[in-house]
């Protein structure tokens, strides 16, 4: 009591809710209007006192709006809302439906969904505002498109189809239910082109997951998963691993050793042939000279365990 009703409306439904009120106020006479809307459920203390344990959940409702003028001291317009909850029409997986309430969907010639009955909500789980202006053909099972292409060819040729064989349509939870459809269409008499197609759908069998309102993956989970993906890519591209750091340090040390060695070579005076011959013949110096020519610890004449390489190995 005392709180704004719109605080309890799902963020995705607030624009639709507001437009319903605006259009209702714009009409001079009192007219009842309806919409499907998700309303936040009360988070009680039954699951514990921790905030993390109390997940925000929403329930779909059919809202019926009535505007009433109440004249006391001053004229006040009241908005009266009658809310009727929606529940999934299915109780068990793949439930065979004997008597379903048919619902109507209308889409344009390019597949754009223009209208869907509120009666579809318990069967499909979609709210009208979520699927309006979306591609209706994406609701059909990929394996049934071959058959449905033939159906649409007959719709264009004959203007409609009495009733199709069962085919699959995707519910909001990502599973498929089986439907049979009566098709009709409207052909523009001037352009002779098809304007829109109307399908009256009869549910034959429910989906594997009977809760059609269950989201296959919440927006929060999708965002969280995307952040993890981005984090993994960032780690691979930006963060230097420990082996890379060690390799970098080793390479830096080798480069410094090589630079020092090259500087010593440049500063050293060139020896004559006689001096070189004497150095080579001296057994005490020959090993020292060979080992000193190791560049960065790599030498073709250096044994791993014994620095005194074979005397017979020629100098390079």
């Amino acid at each position: 009591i005392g709180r704004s009703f719109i605080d309890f409306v799902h963020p995705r439904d607030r624009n639709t809710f507001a437009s319903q009120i605006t259009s209702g106020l714009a009409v001079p006479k009192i007219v009842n209007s309806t919409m499907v809307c998700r309303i936040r459920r009360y988070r009680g203390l039954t699951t514990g006192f921790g905030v993390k344990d109390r997940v925000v959940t929403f329930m779909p409702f059919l809202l019926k709006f009535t505007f009433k003028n109440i004249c006391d001291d001053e004229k006040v317009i009241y908005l009266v809302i009658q809310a009727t909850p929606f529940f999934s029409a299915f109780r068990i997986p793949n439930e065979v439906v004997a008597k379903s309430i048919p619902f109507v969907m209308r889409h344009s010639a390019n597949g754009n969904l223009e209208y869907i009955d509120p009666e579809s909500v318990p069967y499909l789980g979609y709210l009208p505002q979520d699927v309006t202006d979306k591609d209706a053909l994406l609701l059909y099972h990929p394996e049934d498109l071959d058959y449905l292409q033939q159906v649409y060819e007959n719709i264009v040729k004959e203007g409609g189809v009495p009733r199709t064989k069962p085919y699959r349509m995707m519910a909001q939870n990502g599973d498929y239910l089986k439907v049979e459809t009566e098709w009709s269409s409207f052909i523009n008499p001037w352009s002779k082109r098809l304007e829109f197609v109307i399908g009256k759908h009869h549910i034959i069998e429910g989906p594997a997951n009977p809760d059609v309102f269950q989201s296959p993956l919440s927006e929060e989970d999708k965002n969280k998963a995307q952040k993890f993906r981005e984090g993994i890519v960032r780690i691979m591209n930006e963060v230097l691993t420990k082996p890379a750091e060690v390799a970098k340090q080793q390479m830096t040390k080798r480069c410094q050793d090589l630079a020092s060695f090259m500087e010593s070579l440049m500063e050293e005076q060139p020896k004559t042939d006689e001096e070189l011959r004497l150095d080579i013949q001296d057994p005490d110096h020959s090993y020292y000279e060979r080992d000193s020519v190791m560049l960065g610890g790599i030498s073709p004449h250096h044994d791993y365990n014994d620095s005194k390489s074979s005397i017979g190995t020629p100098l390079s």
Side-chain angles (χ1 to χ4, degrees):
I1 302 295
R3 291 186 60 180
S4 172
F5 182 77
I6 204 164
D7 289 344
F8 299 93
V9 175
H10 194 286
R12 284 164 58 186
D13 298 333
R14 287 177 183 174
N15 286 339
T16 311
F17 180 81
S19 66
Q20 283 283 341
I21 296 172
T22 306
S23 60
L25 289 171
V27 178
K29 59 181 180 178
I30 298 171
V31 177
N32 293 334
S33 60
T34 60
M35 71 164 287
V36 182
C37 176
R38 284 159 288 212
I39 299 177
R40 195 176 76 201
R41 299 183 70 170
Y42 172 67
R43 292 188 291 176
L45 299 177
T46 54
T47 55
F49 291 97
V51 177
K52 290 182 181 178
D53 297 331
R54 292 180 284 161
V55 180
V56 178
T57 56
F58 292 84
M59 268 190 73
F61 282 82
L62 178 67
L63 303 186
K64 184 179 179 181
F65 298 92
T66 307
F67 293 92
K68 289 187 177 180
N69 293 321
I70 297 178
C71 297
D72 292 334
D73 296 335
E74 58 184 46
K75 187 177 179 181
V76 179
I77 298 176
Y78 281 86
L79 169 62
V80 180
I81 300 174
Q82 179 184 333
T84 308
F86 278 112
F87 299 99
S88 177
F90 312 106
R91 292 169 295 176
I92 57 174
N94 304 111
E95 182 178 346
V96 177
V97 183
K99 291 182 179 179
S100 66
I101 299 172
F103 58 88
V104 171
M105 293 170 62
R106 184 182 76 234
H107 67 77
S108 61
N110 62 4
N112 192 53
L113 189 62
E114 297 176 339
Y115 173 80
I116 181 169
D117 267 343
E119 284 80 7
S120 68
V121 176
Y123 297 105
L124 296 179
Y126 299 108
L127 271 63
Q129 58 264 34
D130 288 344
V131 289
T132 303
D133 295 327
K134 300 292 192 300
D135 189 352
L137 305 184
L138 293 175
L139 298 176
Y140 304 147
H141 195 286
E143 293 177 4
D144 296 334
L145 290 173
D146 183 26
Y147 166 66
L148 288 168
Q149 183 171 324
Q150 300 172 30
V151 171
Y152 275 89
E153 286 174 356
N154 288 331
I155 292 171
V156 174
K157 289 177 184 176
E158 307 295 333
V161 173
R163 189 150 172 166
T164 63
K165 295 188 297 184
Y167 66 94
R168 288 161 289 185
M169 184 178 286
M170 188 168 64
Q172 192 272 155
N173 62 11
D175 287 342
Y176 288 87
L177 37 81
K178 290 183 180 177
V179 301
E180 291 178 358
T181 306
E182 301 170 48
W183 296 98
S184 60
S185 64
F186 174 73
I187 309 293
N188 189 312
W190 288 276
S191 65
K192 308 296 183 185
R193 297 180 70 87
L194 183 134
E195 289 283 336
F196 55 80
V197 174
I198 300 172
K200 188 178 182 182
H201 303 286
H202 303 263
I203 305 298
I204 304 301
E205 184 182 299
N209 180 1
D211 185 4
V212 294
F213 296 114
Q214 183 179 327
S215 176
L217 198 63
S218 68
E219 289 298 320
E220 185 180 351
D221 290 336
K222 287 178 183 177
N223 294 336
K224 192 183 293 183
Q226 184 58 29
K227 285 181 180 178
F228 281 126
R229 290 190 199 101
E230 291 170 359
I232 291 169
V233 172
R234 188 167 58 252
I235 287 168
M236 291 190 293
N237 285 282
E238 294 178 8
V239 181
L240 286 173
T241 60
K242 190 175 180 181
E245 284 287 0
V246 173
K248 184 180 176 182
Q249 291 170 4
Q250 288 175 346
M251 285 303 297
T252 304
K253 187 177 183 301
R254 286 190 176 191
C255 289
Q256 289 172 349
D257 292 343
L258 181 59
S260 300
F261 174 72
M262 294 303 292
E263 285 175 8
S264 66
L265 283 181
M266 295 299 291
E267 291 171 0
E268 191 177 307
Q269 294 295 324
K271 294 182 179 181
T272 61
D273 290 345
E274 287 295 324
E275 287 176 323
L276 283 170
R277 264 195 295 277
L278 287 170
D279 284 342
I280 293 166
Q281 288 166 2
D282 188 350
D284 292 328
H285 285 80
S286 63
Y287 308 122
Y288 170 74
E289 288 292 339
R290 277 197 205 103
D291 287 345
S292 68
V293 189
M294 287 172 57
L295 304 183
I298 300 171
S299 170
H301 313 298
H302 185 263
D303 190 88
Y304 288 105
N305 300 317
D306 184 9
S307 65
K308 295 192 176 185
S309 306
S310 171
I311 297 171
T313 306
L315 281 170
S316 62

